Amino acid sequence: MQRRRPSPVLLALLVAGCGGGSSEALQSFSACDQPPTFVEPNPAYAWTPNAIHLVSEELAPGVFAIHDADAAEHGPAGIPLATSGGFVVGDDGVLMVESMINRQLFCQAVALVQAETDRPIRYVVNTSSHGDHTFGNIFLPDDVEIVQHEQTAEYIDAHFEEDVAFMEANFGVDQGIDEIEPVAADIRVADGGWSVDLGGVVVEARHYGFAQTPGDLFVYVPDAKVLWTGNAFVTEEPGIPWLLAGNGSAAEVTLTAVQDSLPADAIVVPGHGRPLAPAAMDFSIAYLHAMLAGVETAVADGLDVEATVAAVALPDYQGYRLWDWIHKQVNVPNTYAEFKQ
């Protein structure tokens, strides 16, 4: 991990309009013609989009992670972090991972790209259907191709308004989500995956099966050994997986397969956090294993869902700030429903 670009450079680029007025050589983004307006974090939200400062970190030549500037401090403390993404620069253009939740974070990500290269963004890969990874698509120029797994594209087609409501409920109705509109994917990836040569560097979008959603994509740069996991691997210890769509057993199998597919010296960029070694996935996998075993035993013992939540306390995993919500209200009840079928 070679360097991190601090937010003062980012802010200077944003004031210049994300490249829209600073250089004719830079790709123009008309959505980014206003400087950002930062707010104080609202404790009612999981994290506050317009309070976030993003930074970039070069992981290999031309391969960059984008993550919350507070990731190194907040991640190990179990404090939820904003969406992570990144970009890969080739001779012919740039592939960006994730488009973020709103205009302000989208424009920060674009500014970080344009701080490193004047080559145009050609592709944006969304690792899942979740709005904090996809809503920024609305701000892309027409010549940028959106890449999604075909099941992600279908889910967005059918559930866009539902996802907007979820994002506003958990991240705020005052965070610019109201201006988001659905955008169709240009490239729909089948289970066999997809790859592109950006000019001297190949990027793969891999599908390992259900991880957090049916259409999770893992973005991999083989020569650099860098993998973006999206929310399949949400964050570092003590953070835990979010089983919003259930299927905890499949999530454990997939996450284990992803980890096993990587060399030990690879770099993993989680869905919400700083770059890590593959071994950092151990905690999430161990949590899933323990939670699944506990719920299965509770169901076999005839416990109801409330008693199961109480029984599957897992004290060794309780350091996450969102534990009471994600473990008690999402993961255990959804897993209970699976085992009761």
Side-chain angles (χ1 to χ4, degrees), residues 195-212:
S195 67
V196 63
D197 188 338
L198 297 173
V201 58
V202 172
V203 183
E204 302 173 353
R206 298 177 170 184
H207 179 68
Y208 288 80
F210 185 101
Q212 196 199 37

Side-chain angles (χ1 to χ4, degrees), residues 26-315:
L26 291 177
Q27 186 177 22
S28 178
F29 290 84
S30 60
C32 301
D33 58 1
Q34 297 294 324
T37 302
F38 290 100
V39 301
E40 290 298 315
N42 186 332
Y45 305 154
W47 46 271
T48 307
N50 285 344
I52 299 299
H53 292 257
L54 296 175
V55 295
S56 68
E57 185 172 345
E58 188 169 30
L59 308 178
V63 181
F64 296 81
I66 293 175
H67 58 76
D68 192 319
D70 292 326
E73 177 183 357
H74 287 181
I79 299 171
L81 293 160
T83 310
S84 297
F87 57 98
V88 183
V89 181
D91 292 339
D92 300 331
V94 176
L95 179 146
M96 192 161 77
V97 183
E98 317 295 22
S99 62
M100 305 300 168
I101 193 172
N102 66 5
R103 181 191 298 263
Q104 185 153 300
L105 288 177
F106 168 83
C107 292
Q108 286 194 47
V110 169
L112 289 167
V113 174
Q114 295 189 332
E116 302 295 344
T117 181
D118 61 4
R119 292 167 189 150
I121 297 170
R122 302 290 192 193
Y123 305 94
V124 171
V125 180
N126 301 136
T127 59
S128 74
S129 58
H130 294 171
D132 58 311
H133 298 253
T134 64
F135 281 174
N137 293 348
I138 187 64
F139 306 118
L140 291 167
D142 292 340
D143 59 351
V144 179
E145 294 192 274
I146 298 167
V147 182
Q148 296 172 349
H149 189 276
E150 56 192 7
Q151 292 192 69
T152 288
E154 291 167 4
Y155 186 89
I156 291 172
D157 288 344
H159 299 279
F160 178 76
E161 295 300 332
E162 179 182 323
D163 196 30
V164 168
F166 176 87
M167 292 295 161
E168 288 190 329
N170 290 285
F171 301 100
V173 297
D174 57 349
Q175 297 298 300
I177 298 172
D178 57 315
E179 68 174 325
I180 304 304
E181 298 177 3
V183 181
D186 300 289
I187 298 172
R188 296 188 174 207
V189 180
D191 288 352
W194 173 84
S195 67
V196 63
D197 188 338
L198 297 173
V201 58
V202 172
V203 183
E204 302 173 353
R206 298 177 170 184
H207 179 68
Y208 288 80
F210 185 101
Q212 196 199 37
T213 75
D216 294 295
L217 289 178
F218 296 78
V219 182
Y220 189 55
V221 184
D223 288 346
K225 296 186 283 190
V226 174
L227 179 79
W228 285 266
T229 69
N231 286 345
F233 172 45
V234 176
T235 192
E236 66 187 284
E237 180 181 350
I240 59 172
W242 294 34
L243 301 178
L244 296 170
N247 291 325
S249 297
E252 182 190 11
V253 169
T254 298
L255 203 57
T256 302
V258 171
Q259 186 188 49
D260 289 346
S261 74
L262 297 173
D265 61 345
I267 300 172
V268 176
V269 183
H272 295 260
R274 58 179 173 165
L276 302 162
M281 301 167 73
D282 287 348
F283 185 83
S284 289
I285 294 169
Y287 164 80
L288 288 170
H289 185 77
M291 189 272 298
L292 288 162
V295 174
E296 184 174 26
T297 297
V299 170
D301 289 344
L303 301 185
D304 63 16
V305 65
E306 291 79 10
T308 299
V309 169
V312 187
L314 304 186

